[in-house]
Each structure stands twice: as C-alpha cells, then as structure tokens.
Amino acid sequence: MSKLSFRDLFKRETLEREQSYASGPEETIEQPFIPGAPFPDLALDARLADAEKAAVLFVSLTCSSCIDLLPELVAFSASFDGLLLVVSSGLKEENEELVHYYDYSFPVITMEENIYKAKFGLEATPAAIVLEKGLMMQRFTIQHIGHLNEQIGIQIG
C-alpha cells in the first residue's frame, strides 16, 4: 500500500473553515517584535521557558508553502538541537494525523490562523519564532527549508 501525499488528504472543508476564520472577527493586536522580549504564550509548552534554544513554527493547512514544508520537518527536527514546536491551523484530529503520518517526534498544537497571526505578530505563513530560555531572538517568514536551516544556524552538506 503506497502512502498518499499529505496534500492529497486535504478536503474542501479545511479551506472553507479557514476562510470562515478569516472572515470572522479578526484580532488586530499588533505585536511588535522586540529581540530579547518574553515569548507571549509560554503556556503553549511549559518547556519553552527553560529551553536553551527553541523554535516555534507556524503553519496553515491551506498554505501550499506550509504543506510543502511539512515532510521536511522530520529532517529539520533531527538536525535542530533545541525544542521544536509546531502551531497549526488544522483541527486537533488533522494535527494528530500529521504527527502520525510523518512520524513527528515533536508536538503539533492547534490554533486558528487569525489568532496566532495576531498574537505573535506574524504577517504570513509558514513562519518561525526562535527562542532562548523563553526570550524571542528571531521572528521570520520561512521561504523554504534551506532558509529555515540558514536562519536557525544549521549547516547542511
């Protein structure tokens, strides 16, 4: 039995749900990025407060760049020497399927896209916030897996 691409598993309801979130009441809190400032939601994972290095990645399940990034995260997590956490716009069941399908060794947390964009001041997805001991060091939109590796400081090849 061959594996399907995770992209093939998406249903029209996912896109419709994302569009209804976007058209619903939008949070407009603009979070300026201040290097060294505390991460605004350490409750996502209590380990973020003490981790020497952590990366919180934000993905939308209706974003083709995000979907293309998903299979690359297995190798990224093996190379990354810190705590990795993914925040996804998918439903809890969809995110559990992601973890199972790709055999992720890191958690995938559910949060609506418009909420995480407002809460963390993100302009687009996929995005990353890099932390050291609970303090934000970098925030950027991920262009591709090589860009993520470069920004985090992982040397490949």
mmCIF file of all heavy atoms in Angstrom, residues 39 42 45 47-57 76 80-85 128-138 140 152:
data_model
loop_
_atom_site.group_PDB
_atom_site.id
_atom_site.type_symbol
_atom_site.label_atom_id
_atom_site.label_comp_id
_atom_site.label_asym_id
_atom_site.label_seq_id
_atom_site.Cartn_x
_atom_site.Cartn_y
_atom_site.Cartn_z
ATOM 1 N N PHE A 39 8.519 35.511 25.199
ATOM 2 C CA PHE A 39 7.562 34.928 24.262
ATOM 3 C C PHE A 39 6.163 35.127 24.838
ATOM 4 O O PHE A 39 5.937 34.862 26.018
ATOM 5 C CB PHE A 39 7.875 33.440 24.073
ATOM 6 C CG PHE A 39 7.050 32.753 23.032
ATOM 7 C CD1 PHE A 39 7.181 33.083 21.695
ATOM 8 C CD2 PHE A 39 6.152 31.758 23.390
ATOM 9 C CE1 PHE A 39 6.430 32.433 20.724
ATOM 10 C CE2 PHE A 39 5.399 31.104 22.431
ATOM 11 C CZ PHE A 39 5.542 31.441 21.092
ATOM 12 N N LEU A 42 3.957 31.332 26.718
ATOM 13 C CA LEU A 42 4.732 30.198 27.212
ATOM 14 C C LEU A 42 3.833 29.032 27.617
ATOM 15 O O LEU A 42 4.304 27.916 27.790
ATOM 16 C CB LEU A 42 5.621 30.626 28.380
ATOM 17 C CG LEU A 42 6.753 31.578 27.990
ATOM 18 C CD1 LEU A 42 7.475 32.090 29.222
ATOM 19 C CD2 LEU A 42 7.735 30.917 27.032
ATOM 20 N N ASP A 45 3.706 25.449 25.658
ATOM 21 C CA ASP A 45 4.514 24.327 26.130
ATOM 22 C C ASP A 45 5.404 24.874 27.241
ATOM 23 O O ASP A 45 6.231 25.756 26.989
ATOM 24 C CB ASP A 45 5.358 23.756 24.985
ATOM 25 C CG ASP A 45 6.050 22.448 25.344
ATOM 26 O OD1 ASP A 45 6.610 22.355 26.455
ATOM 27 O OD2 ASP A 45 6.031 21.522 24.518
ATOM 28 N N ARG A 47 7.958 23.861 28.577
ATOM 29 C CA ARG A 47 9.402 23.709 28.362
ATOM 30 C C ARG A 47 10.021 24.897 27.633
ATOM 31 O O ARG A 47 11.225 25.102 27.688
ATOM 32 C CB ARG A 47 9.691 22.423 27.577
ATOM 33 C CG ARG A 47 9.222 21.164 28.295
ATOM 34 C CD ARG A 47 9.367 19.935 27.434
ATOM 35 N NE ARG A 47 8.495 20.058 26.258
ATOM 36 C CZ ARG A 47 8.573 19.270 25.190
ATOM 37 N NH1 ARG A 47 9.471 18.306 25.137
ATOM 38 N NH2 ARG A 47 7.756 19.434 24.167
ATOM 39 N N LEU A 48 9.200 25.704 26.953
ATOM 40 C CA LEU A 48 9.723 26.861 26.222
ATOM 41 C C LEU A 48 10.425 27.854 27.145
ATOM 42 O O LEU A 48 11.394 28.494 26.744
ATOM 43 C CB LEU A 48 8.595 27.583 25.476
ATOM 44 C CG LEU A 48 7.981 26.854 24.291
ATOM 45 C CD1 LEU A 48 6.740 27.590 23.799
ATOM 46 C CD2 LEU A 48 8.989 26.682 23.173
ATOM 47 N N ALA A 49 9.968 27.976 28.369
ATOM 48 C CA ALA A 49 10.526 28.951 29.299
ATOM 49 C C ALA A 49 11.976 28.645 29.663
ATOM 50 O O ALA A 49 12.767 29.566 29.879
ATOM 51 C CB ALA A 49 9.679 29.015 30.565
ATOM 52 N N ASP A 50 12.337 27.366 29.706
ATOM 53 C CA ASP A 50 13.671 26.974 30.167
ATOM 54 C C ASP A 50 14.583 26.419 29.080
ATOM 55 O O ASP A 50 15.768 26.210 29.330
ATOM 56 C CB ASP A 50 13.543 25.928 31.280
ATOM 57 C CG ASP A 50 12.810 26.475 32.488
ATOM 58 O OD1 ASP A 50 13.046 27.642 32.846
ATOM 59 O OD2 ASP A 50 11.983 25.735 33.058
ATOM 60 N N ALA A 51 14.053 26.163 27.897
ATOM 61 C CA ALA A 51 14.853 25.556 26.833
ATOM 62 C C ALA A 51 15.985 26.491 26.412
ATOM 63 O O ALA A 51 15.758 27.678 26.179
ATOM 64 C CB ALA A 51 13.971 25.225 25.628
ATOM 65 N N GLU A 52 17.195 25.963 26.340
ATOM 66 C CA GLU A 52 18.336 26.755 25.880
ATOM 67 C C GLU A 52 18.033 27.369 24.522
ATOM 68 O O GLU A 52 18.339 28.528 24.272
ATOM 69 C CB GLU A 52 19.597 25.888 25.787
ATOM 70 C CG GLU A 52 20.184 25.489 27.116
ATOM 71 C CD GLU A 52 20.745 26.674 27.896
ATOM 72 O OE1 GLU A 52 21.310 27.609 27.285
ATOM 73 O OE2 GLU A 52 20.615 26.656 29.130
ATOM 74 N N LYS A 53 17.436 26.555 23.632
ATOM 75 C CA LYS A 53 17.063 27.015 22.300
ATOM 76 C C LYS A 53 15.755 26.332 21.931
ATOM 77 O O LYS A 53 15.566 25.158 22.199
ATOM 78 C CB LYS A 53 18.149 26.680 21.282
ATOM 79 C CG LYS A 53 17.942 27.316 19.932
ATOM 80 C CD LYS A 53 19.174 27.148 19.055
ATOM 81 C CE LYS A 53 19.056 28.019 17.823
ATOM 82 N NZ LYS A 53 20.255 27.956 16.999
ATOM 83 N N ALA A 54 14.853 27.080 21.332
ATOM 84 C CA ALA A 54 13.571 26.528 20.887
ATOM 85 C C ALA A 54 13.162 27.222 19.600
ATOM 86 O O ALA A 54 13.530 28.373 19.355
ATOM 87 C CB ALA A 54 12.501 26.716 21.961
ATOM 88 N N ALA A 55 12.406 26.500 18.798
ATOM 89 C CA ALA A 55 11.829 27.076 17.577
ATOM 90 C C ALA A 55 10.343 26.748 17.569
ATOM 91 O O ALA A 55 9.951 25.588 17.742
ATOM 92 C CB ALA A 55 12.503 26.507 16.341
ATOM 93 N N VAL A 56 9.529 27.780 17.408
ATOM 94 C CA VAL A 56 8.089 27.607 17.276
ATOM 95 C C VAL A 56 7.762 27.946 15.827
ATOM 96 O O VAL A 56 8.012 29.069 15.374
ATOM 97 C CB VAL A 56 7.310 28.520 18.249
ATOM 98 C CG1 VAL A 56 5.814 28.274 18.116
ATOM 99 C CG2 VAL A 56 7.774 28.304 19.691
ATOM 100 N N LEU A 57 7.256 26.956 15.106
ATOM 101 C CA LEU A 57 6.920 27.131 13.696
ATOM 102 C C LEU A 57 5.408 27.238 13.565
ATOM 103 O O LEU A 57 4.667 26.541 14.258
ATOM 104 C CB LEU A 57 7.433 25.951 12.872
ATOM 105 C CG LEU A 57 8.897 25.578 13.046
ATOM 106 C CD1 LEU A 57 9.267 24.434 12.105
ATOM 107 C CD2 LEU A 57 9.805 26.770 12.821
ATOM 108 N N PHE A 76 14.580 18.303 9.580
ATOM 109 C CA PHE A 76 14.914 19.518 10.328
ATOM 110 C C PHE A 76 14.982 19.220 11.822
ATOM 111 O O PHE A 76 15.929 19.610 12.495
ATOM 112 C CB PHE A 76 13.890 20.623 10.061
ATOM 113 C CG PHE A 76 14.107 21.832 10.928
ATOM 114 C CD1 PHE A 76 15.116 22.735 10.648
ATOM 115 C CD2 PHE A 76 13.326 22.043 12.056
ATOM 116 C CE1 PHE A 76 15.341 23.843 11.469
ATOM 117 C CE2 PHE A 76 13.533 23.143 12.875
ATOM 118 C CZ PHE A 76 14.549 24.045 12.582
ATOM 119 N N PHE A 80 18.068 19.915 14.371
ATOM 120 C CA PHE A 80 17.892 21.030 15.301
ATOM 121 C C PHE A 80 18.177 20.557 16.727
ATOM 122 O O PHE A 80 17.599 19.578 17.184
ATOM 123 C CB PHE A 80 16.471 21.585 15.187
ATOM 124 C CG PHE A 80 16.191 22.771 16.075
ATOM 125 C CD1 PHE A 80 16.919 23.943 15.928
ATOM 126 C CD2 PHE A 80 15.219 22.715 17.047
ATOM 127 C CE1 PHE A 80 16.671 25.043 16.741
ATOM 128 C CE2 PHE A 80 14.950 23.801 17.861
ATOM 129 C CZ PHE A 80 15.679 24.971 17.712
ATOM 130 N N ASP A 81 19.053 21.258 17.424
ATOM 131 C CA ASP A 81 19.469 20.828 18.761
ATOM 132 C C ASP A 81 18.676 21.489 19.885
ATOM 133 O O ASP A 81 19.134 21.574 21.012
ATOM 134 C CB ASP A 81 20.964 21.068 18.959
ATOM 135 C CG ASP A 81 21.336 22.542 18.891
ATOM 136 O OD1 ASP A 81 20.487 23.363 18.514
ATOM 137 O OD2 ASP A 81 22.494 22.864 19.228
ATOM 138 N N GLY A 82 17.466 21.918 19.580
ATOM 139 C CA GLY A 82 16.624 22.547 20.596
ATOM 140 C C GLY A 82 15.237 21.947 20.611
ATOM 141 O O GLY A 82 14.978 20.920 19.992
ATOM 142 N N LEU A 83 14.364 22.606 21.319
ATOM 143 C CA LEU A 83 12.966 22.201 21.414
ATOM 144 C C LEU A 83 12.215 22.726 20.193
ATOM 145 O O LEU A 83 12.329 23.905 19.862
ATOM 146 C CB LEU A 83 12.360 22.785 22.698
ATOM 147 C CG LEU A 83 10.866 22.598 22.917
ATOM 148 C CD1 LEU A 83 10.520 21.124 23.075
ATOM 149 C CD2 LEU A 83 10.420 23.387 24.141
ATOM 150 N N LEU A 84 11.495 21.846 19.523
ATOM 151 C CA LEU A 84 10.718 22.225 18.347
ATOM 152 C C LEU A 84 9.239 22.051 18.651
ATOM 153 O O LEU A 84 8.819 21.037 19.213
ATOM 154 C CB LEU A 84 11.106 21.360 17.146
ATOM 155 C CG LEU A 84 10.334 21.593 15.857
ATOM 156 C CD1 LEU A 84 10.494 23.019 15.351
ATOM 157 C CD2 LEU A 84 10.778 20.599 14.788
ATOM 158 N N LEU A 85 8.464 23.049 18.264
ATOM 159 C CA LEU A 85 7.021 23.042 18.459
ATOM 160 C C LEU A 85 6.392 23.609 17.195
ATOM 161 O O LEU A 85 6.862 24.618 16.670
ATOM 162 C CB LEU A 85 6.677 23.916 19.663
ATOM 163 C CG LEU A 85 5.229 24.089 20.049
ATOM 164 C CD1 LEU A 85 4.661 22.783 20.587
ATOM 165 C CD2 LEU A 85 5.114 25.167 21.110
ATOM 166 N N ALA A 128 8.393 31.411 11.717
ATOM 167 C CA ALA A 128 9.121 30.850 12.854
ATOM 168 C C ALA A 128 9.458 31.944 13.852
ATOM 169 O O ALA A 128 9.689 33.097 13.478
ATOM 170 C CB ALA A 128 10.415 30.186 12.383
ATOM 171 N N ILE A 129 9.460 31.555 15.108
ATOM 172 C CA ILE A 129 9.994 32.385 16.176
ATOM 173 C C ILE A 129 11.013 31.531 16.907
ATOM 174 O O ILE A 129 10.709 30.413 17.327
ATOM 175 C CB ILE A 129 8.897 32.882 17.144
ATOM 176 C CG1 ILE A 129 7.893 33.762 16.401
ATOM 177 C CG2 ILE A 129 9.530 33.649 18.310
ATOM 178 C CD1 ILE A 129 6.734 34.256 17.257
ATOM 179 N N VAL A 130 12.230 32.049 17.028
ATOM 180 C CA VAL A 130 13.310 31.341 17.700
ATOM 181 C C VAL A 130 13.479 31.939 19.087
ATOM 182 O O VAL A 130 13.530 33.163 19.242
ATOM 183 C CB VAL A 130 14.631 31.451 16.900
ATOM 184 C CG1 VAL A 130 15.764 30.718 17.608
ATOM 185 C CG2 VAL A 130 14.440 30.907 15.483
ATOM 186 N N LEU A 131 13.555 31.052 20.074
ATOM 187 C CA LEU A 131 13.652 31.470 21.470
ATOM 188 C C LEU A 131 14.931 30.958 22.117
ATOM 189 O O LEU A 131 15.459 29.925 21.718
ATOM 190 C CB LEU A 131 12.477 30.906 22.286
ATOM 191 C CG LEU A 131 11.075 31.076 21.760
ATOM 192 C CD1 LEU A 131 10.099 30.297 22.614
ATOM 193 C CD2 LEU A 131 10.698 32.527 21.729
ATOM 194 N N GLU A 132 15.374 31.673 23.114
ATOM 195 C CA GLU A 132 16.418 31.200 24.017
ATOM 196 C C GLU A 132 15.928 31.471 25.421
ATOM 197 O O GLU A 132 15.658 32.630 25.775
ATOM 198 C CB GLU A 132 17.746 31.922 23.757
ATOM 199 C CG GLU A 132 18.371 31.541 22.438
ATOM 200 C CD GLU A 132 19.670 32.285 22.161
ATOM 201 O OE1 GLU A 132 20.219 32.950 23.067
ATOM 202 O OE2 GLU A 132 20.123 32.202 21.005
ATOM 203 N N LYS A 133 15.746 30.405 26.199
ATOM 204 C CA LYS A 133 15.247 30.500 27.581
ATOM 205 C C LYS A 133 13.990 31.362 27.687
ATOM 206 O O LYS A 133 13.885 32.222 28.549
ATOM 207 C CB LYS A 133 16.338 30.995 28.506
ATOM 208 C CG LYS A 133 17.483 30.015 28.611
ATOM 209 C CD LYS A 133 18.322 30.265 29.815
ATOM 210 C CE LYS A 133 19.362 29.177 29.869
ATOM 211 N NZ LYS A 133 19.643 28.738 31.189
ATOM 212 N N GLY A 134 13.062 31.153 26.765
ATOM 213 C CA GLY A 134 11.778 31.844 26.801
ATOM 214 C C GLY A 134 11.779 33.242 26.220
ATOM 215 O O GLY A 134 10.746 33.905 26.183
ATOM 216 N N LEU A 135 12.935 33.700 25.739
ATOM 217 C CA LEU A 135 13.037 35.046 25.161
ATOM 218 C C LEU A 135 13.133 34.944 23.643
ATOM 219 O O LEU A 135 13.856 34.100 23.104
ATOM 220 C CB LEU A 135 14.250 35.776 25.721
ATOM 221 C CG LEU A 135 14.298 35.905 27.246
ATOM 222 C CD1 LEU A 135 15.584 36.584 27.680
ATOM 223 C CD2 LEU A 135 13.079 36.638 27.773
ATOM 224 N N MET A 136 12.423 35.832 22.944
ATOM 225 C CA MET A 136 12.421 35.814 21.480
ATOM 226 C C MET A 136 13.718 36.403 20.927
ATOM 227 O O MET A 136 14.100 37.515 21.286
ATOM 228 C CB MET A 136 11.224 36.603 20.941
ATOM 229 C CG MET A 136 9.884 36.024 21.336
ATOM 230 S SD MET A 136 8.487 36.886 20.578
ATOM 231 C CE MET A 136 8.606 38.508 21.327
ATOM 232 N N MET A 137 14.364 35.631 20.062
ATOM 233 C CA MET A 137 15.599 36.079 19.429
ATOM 234 C C MET A 137 15.391 36.453 17.967
ATOM 235 O O MET A 137 16.019 37.379 17.469
ATOM 236 C CB MET A 137 16.675 34.987 19.516
ATOM 237 C CG MET A 137 17.061 34.612 20.939
ATOM 238 S SD MET A 137 17.932 35.964 21.750
ATOM 239 C CE MET A 137 16.822 36.397 23.061
ATOM 240 N N GLN A 138 14.522 35.712 17.267
ATOM 241 C CA GLN A 138 14.260 35.949 15.848
ATOM 242 C C GLN A 138 12.794 35.661 15.556
ATOM 243 O O GLN A 138 12.193 34.795 16.189
ATOM 244 C CB GLN A 138 15.050 34.985 14.951
ATOM 245 C CG GLN A 138 16.523 35.166 14.887
ATOM 246 C CD GLN A 138 17.099 34.059 14.004
ATOM 247 O OE1 GLN A 138 17.364 32.976 14.480
ATOM 248 N NE2 GLN A 138 17.281 34.353 12.730
ATOM 249 N N PHE A 140 10.610 35.321 11.736
ATOM 250 C CA PHE A 140 10.714 35.467 10.281
ATOM 251 C C PHE A 140 9.727 34.562 9.560
ATOM 252 O O PHE A 140 9.261 33.572 10.115
ATOM 253 C CB PHE A 140 12.145 35.171 9.803
ATOM 254 C CG PHE A 140 12.666 33.808 10.191
ATOM 255 C CD1 PHE A 140 12.536 32.723 9.344
ATOM 256 C CD2 PHE A 140 13.296 33.610 11.420
ATOM 257 C CE1 PHE A 140 13.016 31.468 9.703
ATOM 258 C CE2 PHE A 140 13.777 32.368 11.789
ATOM 259 C CZ PHE A 140 13.639 31.289 10.929
ATOM 260 N N ILE A 152 18.244 29.430 11.409
ATOM 261 C CA ILE A 152 18.436 28.767 12.699
ATOM 262 C C ILE A 152 19.918 28.487 12.952
ATOM 263 O O ILE A 152 20.333 28.287 14.076
ATOM 264 C CB ILE A 152 17.612 27.454 12.743
ATOM 265 C CG1 ILE A 152 16.132 27.726 12.561
ATOM 266 C CG2 ILE A 152 17.875 26.651 14.006
ATOM 267 C CD1 ILE A 152 15.399 28.186 13.785
#
